[in-house]
Structure formats: C-alpha cells, structure tokens
Amino acid sequence: MAEPMKMRASVSGDVADIKVLMNHPMETGLRKDAKTGQLIPAHFINEVHATVNGKPVLDAQWGGGVSKNPYLGFKVKGAKAGDKVEVSWKDNKGESNKVDGVVA
C-alpha cells in the first residue's frame, strides 16, 4: 500500500493554490543497487488527475524523469473556500493513491 499523500489548498481572490506532496520511490529503471549491482526495476507515477468538486482540472502523464517523492503545485481559477479537491495518481505497476481536502 502506498504511503499517504499530503495536500494544502488555499484561495486568494478567485484562484485556489493547490500543493500536493506524493510519497513514491520514482525509480527510473536505470539505477543499480549498490550492494548487488543489479538494475532496480522501473517504478514511477505515470498518471496524475485532479478534480475540484468532481470536475477535472488537471490530467498529467509523467515519466521516469520525475524525482522521488514528487511535489505538485498548481492553481485553479474560479475556486472558492469550501470547494472539495481530490488528487490521485497511478503508477506503472498498477498501484494508486489519492488525497482529498477542502480549499481553505
């Protein structure tokens, strides 16, 4: 099971600033294990989705070039305090995780 994600969402005017910290190893498949010398299998997030009140606001396709425990920040125009935000990801091994919160 994936480790929990953290999210903070705040609003300024009519723009919500959403910040998400995703816990994930993000292995490219090109790095070798220091003890065995064997390649560490690729394991990375390849899909990220975000919704505000159930309406899609972000769809992203990622590759192995994103760092470990990625941080995602984005802004949504038209959001207001109390709106429900959900961010989810899926990785190349079929694992997934999500976090939801409310715009403060």
Side-chain angles (χ1 to χ4, degrees), residues 27-42:
E27 288 290 346
T28 63
L30 302 175
R31 194 167 66 91
K32 290 183 178 179
D33 186 313
K35 292 180 183 174
T36 65
Q38 298 293 316
L39 284 176
I40 298 172

PDB file of all heavy atoms in Angstrom, residues 27-42:
ATOM      1  N   GLU A  27      11.493   5.291  -9.243  1.00  0.00           N
ATOM      2  CA  GLU A  27      12.700   4.658  -9.810  1.00  0.00           C
ATOM      3  C   GLU A  27      12.609   4.666 -11.335  1.00  0.00           C
ATOM      4  O   GLU A  27      11.595   4.270 -11.898  1.00  0.00           O
ATOM      5  CB  GLU A  27      12.833   3.212  -9.315  1.00  0.00           C
ATOM      6  CG  GLU A  27      13.232   3.091  -7.870  1.00  0.00           C
ATOM      7  CD  GLU A  27      14.667   3.515  -7.613  1.00  0.00           C
ATOM      8  OE1 GLU A  27      15.457   3.657  -8.573  1.00  0.00           O
ATOM      9  OE2 GLU A  27      14.996   3.723  -6.433  1.00  0.00           O
ATOM     10  N   THR A  28      13.692   5.066 -11.988  1.00  0.00           N
ATOM     11  CA  THR A  28      13.699   5.167 -13.449  1.00  0.00           C
ATOM     12  C   THR A  28      13.908   3.828 -14.139  1.00  0.00           C
ATOM     13  O   THR A  28      13.604   3.678 -15.309  1.00  0.00           O
ATOM     14  CB  THR A  28      14.827   6.104 -13.912  1.00  0.00           C
ATOM     15  OG1 THR A  28      16.082   5.519 -13.526  1.00  0.00           O
ATOM     16  CG2 THR A  28      14.676   7.476 -13.322  1.00  0.00           C
ATOM     17  N   GLY A  29      14.496   2.864 -13.424  1.00  0.00           N
ATOM     18  CA  GLY A  29      14.856   1.586 -14.034  1.00  0.00           C
ATOM     19  C   GLY A  29      16.274   1.608 -14.575  1.00  0.00           C
ATOM     20  O   GLY A  29      16.750   0.623 -15.137  1.00  0.00           O
ATOM     21  N   LEU A  30      16.972   2.724 -14.399  1.00  0.00           N
ATOM     22  CA  LEU A  30      18.339   2.863 -14.908  1.00  0.00           C
ATOM     23  C   LEU A  30      19.382   2.822 -13.789  1.00  0.00           C
ATOM     24  O   LEU A  30      20.571   2.757 -14.054  1.00  0.00           O
ATOM     25  CB  LEU A  30      18.479   4.191 -15.662  1.00  0.00           C
ATOM     26  CG  LEU A  30      17.512   4.382 -16.830  1.00  0.00           C
ATOM     27  CD1 LEU A  30      17.654   5.775 -17.408  1.00  0.00           C
ATOM     28  CD2 LEU A  30      17.764   3.329 -17.893  1.00  0.00           C
ATOM     29  N   ARG A  31      18.931   2.866 -12.543  1.00  0.00           N
ATOM     30  CA  ARG A  31      19.849   2.917 -11.403  1.00  0.00           C
ATOM     31  C   ARG A  31      20.147   1.496 -10.926  1.00  0.00           C
ATOM     32  O   ARG A  31      19.297   0.626 -10.946  1.00  0.00           O
ATOM     33  CB  ARG A  31      19.194   3.732 -10.275  1.00  0.00           C
ATOM     34  CG  ARG A  31      20.118   4.162  -9.179  1.00  0.00           C
ATOM     35  CD  ARG A  31      19.439   5.222  -8.318  1.00  0.00           C
ATOM     36  NE  ARG A  31      18.295   4.695  -7.582  1.00  0.00           N
ATOM     37  CZ  ARG A  31      18.386   4.177  -6.359  1.00  0.00           C
ATOM     38  NH1 ARG A  31      19.552   4.115  -5.745  1.00  0.00           N
ATOM     39  NH2 ARG A  31      17.310   3.725  -5.751  1.00  0.00           N
ATOM     40  N   LYS A  32      21.432   1.295 -10.481  1.00  0.00           N
ATOM     41  CA  LYS A  32      21.832  -0.017  -9.986  1.00  0.00           C
ATOM     42  C   LYS A  32      21.829  -0.042  -8.471  1.00  0.00           C
ATOM     43  O   LYS A  32      22.168   0.946  -7.825  1.00  0.00           O
ATOM     44  CB  LYS A  32      23.240  -0.364 -10.490  1.00  0.00           C
ATOM     45  CG  LYS A  32      23.303  -0.638 -11.955  1.00  0.00           C
ATOM     46  CD  LYS A  32      24.691  -1.050 -12.367  1.00  0.00           C
ATOM     47  CE  LYS A  32      24.733  -1.369 -13.867  1.00  0.00           C
ATOM     48  NZ  LYS A  32      26.075  -1.762 -14.301  1.00  0.00           N
ATOM     49  N   ASP A  33      21.504  -1.198  -7.915  1.00  0.00           N
ATOM     50  CA  ASP A  33      21.570  -1.411  -6.472  1.00  0.00           C
ATOM     51  C   ASP A  33      23.055  -1.409  -6.069  1.00  0.00           C
ATOM     52  O   ASP A  33      23.870  -2.108  -6.662  1.00  0.00           O
ATOM     53  CB  ASP A  33      20.924  -2.742  -6.126  1.00  0.00           C
ATOM     54  CG  ASP A  33      20.827  -2.974  -4.633  1.00  0.00           C
ATOM     55  OD1 ASP A  33      21.821  -2.763  -3.921  1.00  0.00           O
ATOM     56  OD2 ASP A  33      19.749  -3.367  -4.186  1.00  0.00           O
ATOM     57  N   ALA A  34      23.418  -0.634  -5.039  1.00  0.00           N
ATOM     58  CA  ALA A  34      24.804  -0.505  -4.621  1.00  0.00           C
ATOM     59  C   ALA A  34      25.383  -1.817  -4.099  1.00  0.00           C
ATOM     60  O   ALA A  34      26.581  -2.073  -4.255  1.00  0.00           O
ATOM     61  CB  ALA A  34      24.915   0.580  -3.554  1.00  0.00           C
ATOM     62  N   LYS A  35      24.562  -2.663  -3.510  1.00  0.00           N
ATOM     63  CA  LYS A  35      25.053  -3.922  -2.924  1.00  0.00           C
ATOM     64  C   LYS A  35      25.151  -5.047  -3.951  1.00  0.00           C
ATOM     65  O   LYS A  35      26.118  -5.796  -3.967  1.00  0.00           O
ATOM     66  CB  LYS A  35      24.140  -4.357  -1.781  1.00  0.00           C
ATOM     67  CG  LYS A  35      24.203  -3.431  -0.585  1.00  0.00           C
ATOM     68  CD  LYS A  35      23.289  -3.911   0.522  1.00  0.00           C
ATOM     69  CE  LYS A  35      23.333  -2.918   1.678  1.00  0.00           C
ATOM     70  NZ  LYS A  35      22.374  -3.247   2.729  1.00  0.00           N
ATOM     71  N   THR A  36      24.143  -5.174  -4.821  1.00  0.00           N
ATOM     72  CA  THR A  36      24.105  -6.304  -5.749  1.00  0.00           C
ATOM     73  C   THR A  36      24.584  -5.957  -7.153  1.00  0.00           C
ATOM     74  O   THR A  36      24.935  -6.852  -7.912  1.00  0.00           O
ATOM     75  CB  THR A  36      22.671  -6.863  -5.861  1.00  0.00           C
ATOM     76  OG1 THR A  36      21.841  -5.869  -6.454  1.00  0.00           O
ATOM     77  CG2 THR A  36      22.126  -7.257  -4.493  1.00  0.00           C
ATOM     78  N   GLY A  37      24.571  -4.688  -7.502  1.00  0.00           N
ATOM     79  CA  GLY A  37      24.938  -4.277  -8.851  1.00  0.00           C
ATOM     80  C   GLY A  37      23.842  -4.509  -9.870  1.00  0.00           C
ATOM     81  O   GLY A  37      24.032  -4.250 -11.061  1.00  0.00           O
ATOM     82  N   GLN A  38      22.714  -5.012  -9.441  1.00  0.00           N
ATOM     83  CA  GLN A  38      21.590  -5.280 -10.345  1.00  0.00           C
ATOM     84  C   GLN A  38      20.776  -3.994 -10.565  1.00  0.00           C
ATOM     85  O   GLN A  38      20.687  -3.141  -9.678  1.00  0.00           O
ATOM     86  CB  GLN A  38      20.661  -6.337  -9.746  1.00  0.00           C
ATOM     87  CG  GLN A  38      21.331  -7.683  -9.528  1.00  0.00           C
ATOM     88  CD  GLN A  38      21.693  -8.354 -10.840  1.00  0.00           C
ATOM     89  OE1 GLN A  38      20.899  -8.375 -11.772  1.00  0.00           O
ATOM     90  NE2 GLN A  38      22.910  -8.879 -10.925  1.00  0.00           N
ATOM     91  N   LEU A  39      20.193  -3.886 -11.740  1.00  0.00           N
ATOM     92  CA  LEU A  39      19.324  -2.746 -12.015  1.00  0.00           C
ATOM     93  C   LEU A  39      18.086  -2.797 -11.129  1.00  0.00           C
ATOM     94  O   LEU A  39      17.499  -3.870 -10.925  1.00  0.00           O
ATOM     95  CB  LEU A  39      18.883  -2.737 -13.480  1.00  0.00           C
ATOM     96  CG  LEU A  39      19.913  -2.292 -14.502  1.00  0.00           C
ATOM     97  CD1 LEU A  39      19.342  -2.439 -15.912  1.00  0.00           C
ATOM     98  CD2 LEU A  39      20.344  -0.863 -14.268  1.00  0.00           C
ATOM     99  N   ILE A  40      17.704  -1.653 -10.604  1.00  0.00           N
ATOM    100  CA  ILE A  40      16.469  -1.548  -9.821  1.00  0.00           C
ATOM    101  C   ILE A  40      15.335  -1.340 -10.814  1.00  0.00           C
ATOM    102  O   ILE A  40      15.395  -0.443 -11.656  1.00  0.00           O
ATOM    103  CB  ILE A  40      16.562  -0.368  -8.824  1.00  0.00           C
ATOM    104  CG1 ILE A  40      17.706  -0.620  -7.846  1.00  0.00           C
ATOM    105  CG2 ILE A  40      15.243  -0.166  -8.105  1.00  0.00           C
ATOM    106  CD1 ILE A  40      18.016   0.556  -6.947  1.00  0.00           C
ATOM    107  N   PRO A  41      14.299  -2.199 -10.765  1.00  0.00           N
ATOM    108  CA  PRO A  41      13.208  -2.095 -11.748  1.00  0.00           C
ATOM    109  C   PRO A  41      12.521  -0.726 -11.737  1.00  0.00           C
ATOM    110  O   PRO A  41      12.404  -0.089 -10.687  1.00  0.00           O
ATOM    111  CB  PRO A  41      12.220  -3.183 -11.307  1.00  0.00           C
ATOM    112  CG  PRO A  41      12.993  -4.089 -10.417  1.00  0.00           C
ATOM    113  CD  PRO A  41      14.080  -3.269  -9.801  1.00  0.00           C
ATOM    114  N   ALA A  42      12.070  -0.317 -12.901  1.00  0.00           N
ATOM    115  CA  ALA A  42      11.349   0.957 -13.018  1.00  0.00           C
ATOM    116  C   ALA A  42      10.083   0.925 -12.172  1.00  0.00           C
ATOM    117  O   ALA A  42       9.363  -0.080 -12.155  1.00  0.00           O
ATOM    118  CB  ALA A  42      11.001   1.233 -14.474  1.00  0.00           C
TER     119      ALA A  42
END
